[in-house]
Amino acid sequence: MSMDSFWKGKKVLVTGHTGFKGSWLSIWLQHLGADVVGYALAPEARPNLFEAASVESGMQSELGDLNDYGRLVRLMKETSPDIVFHLAAQPLVRLSYDQPIATFATNVMGTVHVLEAARQTESIQVVLNITSDKCYDNPGDVIKGFKESDPMGGADPYSASKGCAEIVTSSYLKSYYADNGKSLASARAGNVIGGGDWAKDRIIPDLIRAAQRQEPLYIRYPNAVRPWQHVLDCLHGYLLLVEKLWTNGSEFAGSWNFGPSEQAVVSVSDLVEQGRAGLQKDVRVVYEKSPQLYEAKSLMLNSDKARTQLDWNIKLQVQEAVEWTMEWYNHYFMHDDMRDFTVQQIIRFRDKELSDHVKSTVPIVRRTS
C-alpha cells in the first residue's frame, strides 16, 4: 500500500500542531489526504511556522492545554480520530532550568493525559509518542550511539522529563495497550533542523534571528557535536512506523530511534558556517568560551532497528539538509507563499524517497561474454 492510499481519509489527531515539527507533520498529513485535528497551545512567538505556512487552513485546530484532561477527553470523543501523534511538549533544555515544574507537568503528566484519554477513546487504533534523543541516561562518552534498550535518564529537567515520558509510555503499553487492541510506540530523533523554526536557544533559529536583526550571533559550546537531520527525515520515519503499527501493531510497538548516520554528526560551529554560506543575509558569529549550564557534549543514536525493520534511511545528508533549510528561510525573506513552498519541499522529499526506493529495488544486470 502506498503512503498516499494509507493516509487518505484517515482521521489523525496531532498534539503540538502549532509547533515546528507539528506544523510540518500537519501539512504533510493534509497533503496525503488525511483529516487532521490539532490540539496545542497557541504559538508562543512570532514569526512561527504555524502562521507563516497557514497550517490551520487545511485542518481543525483546537487551542488548549495538555493538562486540561477533561477537554482532551472531550476532543477525542467528539472527533473520533483513528491515529494520534503526540508531539506537544516543552522542548527546550535551557528553559527547563527556569521552569522545571511546568516542564515536568507538560512533558510527563501531559503524556499521561494523552495516553489515558486515547485509551478511553474507542476509535483510536494507534498512538505514537514523540519524545527526544535526550531521554537516555547520558554519561557524555557514548561513541556508538544509544540503543532503544539503553536506560532512561537525564541530568537537566528537560532530559529527565523526556526519560520519564518514555517510562510512562512503556508502562501504558504493558499495562493497557497490549491487551486492548490499540498500538502504542515512542519515537526518538536527533537534533532536527528545517525551515520555519524560530524556537529560542536553537542554532538555526538563532542564526535566522541574528540575520533579521542584523546583530551578532553568540554561540555556546561551538565544539559540541550533534546528529543533525532534516525535519522531513524524522517525520518520514514517524509516518512509516504508524503505518506498521496500524497493520502489525504488536510487532512494532515499543521504542524507536530515528537518528542520522555518523556522517551527519558535525559540530555546532560547522553547522553555523554551513548555514551562513546558504543564507542570503550576512551574520557575524561570536563563539563563546565561558562556562554554561550543563548540557551533554556528545549525543548520538543507534537507528539500526528502524533501518532494518522499517527500511528507513536518511534521505537528506547534513549538507543538503542545511541547504533545504536555508532555502526555506530565503524564500520567507522574499515574502513568498510559504505554505506552497513547504508543500513543494515535501513533494521534492517524497520524489527523492521514491527515486531512492526504485534504485534499491532494480536488479543489477551484468553483461556476460
Side-chain angles (χ1 to χ4, degrees):
M1 181 184 294
S2 70
M3 185 172 284
D4 295 88
S5 59
F6 174 84
W7 290 99
K8 188 174 181 60
K10 289 287 194 306
K11 191 66 166 287
V12 184
L13 172 63
V14 178
T15 73
H17 69 294
T18 60
F20 168 58
K21 266 191 186 178
S23 289
W24 272 100
L25 177 61
S26 296
I27 289 181
W28 196 343
L29 288 168
Q30 292 170 38
H31 176 68
L32 291 170
D35 183 1
V36 187
V37 178
Y39 183 77
L41 297 174
E44 288 190 359
R46 288 179 177 166
N48 56 76
L49 178 59
F50 182 70
E51 295 176 338
S54 303
V55 177
E56 186 177 8
S57 65
M59 65 183 294
Q60 178 183 339
S61 175
E62 299 288 336
L63 299 182
D65 194 322
L66 285 181
N67 289 307
D68 188 345
Y69 175 69
R71 186 174 180 186
L72 194 57
V73 170
R74 290 194 299 273
L75 177 65
M76 291 189 186
K77 298 288 187 182
E78 291 168 0
T79 59
S80 299
D82 304 303
I83 295 164
V84 176
F85 287 91
H86 175 42
L87 290 88
Q90 192 297 95
L92 302 174
V93 172
R94 291 175 69 84
L95 183 60
S96 74
Y97 280 104
D98 296 330
Q99 301 179 8
I101 294 176
T103 298
F104 282 106
T106 298
N107 294 354
V108 183
M109 285 310 300
T111 298
V112 172
H113 293 155
V114 170
L115 298 185
E116 180 62 20
R119 183 172 79 93
Q120 303 291 343
T121 305
E122 184 176 354
S123 65
I124 295 173
Q125 299 300 305
V126 174
V127 179
L128 180 61
N129 180 27
I130 311 302
T131 62
S132 169
D133 59 352
K134 296 178 179 63
C135 65
Y136 291 103
D137 183 18
N138 184 8
D141 57 357
V142 175
I143 303 300
K144 295 183 179 179
F146 292 101
K147 295 182 179 180
E148 288 85 352
S149 57
D150 286 334
M152 300 292 97
D156 60 87
Y158 169 76
S159 301
S161 74
K162 285 302 186 178
C164 289
E166 285 284 355
I167 294 171
V168 166
T169 304
S170 178
S171 173
Y172 262 80
L173 173 61
K174 296 172 182 176
S175 300
Y176 305 112
Y177 279 67
D179 298 323
N180 69 359
K182 299 180 187 291
S183 299
L184 173 62
S186 65
R188 308 151 183 175
N191 285 41
V192 173
I193 61 174
D197 189 3
W198 276 280
K200 295 179 180 179
D201 289 321
R202 288 182 183 166
I203 304 302
I204 296 298
D206 287 347
L207 175 65
I208 298 304
R209 272 188 293 271
Q212 287 179 298
R213 298 170 182 174
Q214 297 183 322
E215 298 175 348
L217 172 63
Y218 294 90
I219 296 293
R220 68 182 192 274
Y221 307 128
N223 297 321
V225 294
R226 292 289 185 267
W228 310 102
Q229 63 189 122
H230 195 273
V231 62
L232 291 176
D233 267 314
C234 67
L235 293 182
H236 180 228
Y238 303 164
L239 292 169
L240 289 175
L241 176 55
V242 167
E243 291 180 32
K244 293 293 188 180
L245 288 165
W246 182 273
T247 55
N248 303 94
S250 60
E251 297 178 31
F252 294 90
S255 55
W256 295 79
N257 287 339
F258 294 97
S261 64
E262 292 184 8
Q263 288 76 14
V265 179
V266 300
S267 69
V268 169
S269 60
D270 285 344
L271 183 77
V272 169
E273 295 307 319
Q274 289 185 42
R276 290 175 70 190
L279 191 61
Q280 295 175 358
K281 288 178 178 287
D282 189 36
V283 182
R284 185 170 72 90
V285 179
V286 178
Y287 294 106
E288 297 182 334
K289 297 181 180 179
S290 58
Q292 300 288 341
L293 294 172
Y294 175 82
E295 192 170 342
K297 294 180 181 180
S298 176
L299 193 57
M300 295 172 60
L301 293 177
N302 181 319
S303 301
D304 290 347
K305 180 180 174 182
R307 293 188 183 97
T308 57
Q309 297 186 36
L310 298 177
D311 195 24
W312 173 84
N313 284 287
I314 292 290
K315 303 303 175 185
L316 299 177
Q317 297 303 321
V318 63
Q319 182 174 349
E320 196 171 11
V322 174
E323 290 172 355
W324 281 43
T325 300
M326 294 302 106
E327 184 182 24
W328 194 99
Y329 287 110
N330 287 332
H331 280 264
Y332 173 82
F333 292 144
M334 293 186 290
H335 306 288
D336 287 350
D337 182 334
M338 296 316 298
R339 180 181 177 89
D340 179 69
F341 188 77
T342 301
V343 171
Q344 290 306 313
Q345 284 202 328
I346 291 170
I347 293 172
R348 284 168 55 197
F349 180 88
R350 295 206 60 212
D351 288 345
K352 185 177 181 66
E353 189 270 327
L354 291 171
S355 175
D356 289 350
H357 177 72
V358 169
K359 290 178 182 178
S360 68
T361 56
V362 173
I364 298 175
V365 178
R366 301 188 184 277
R367 297 180 60 183
T368 56
S369 57

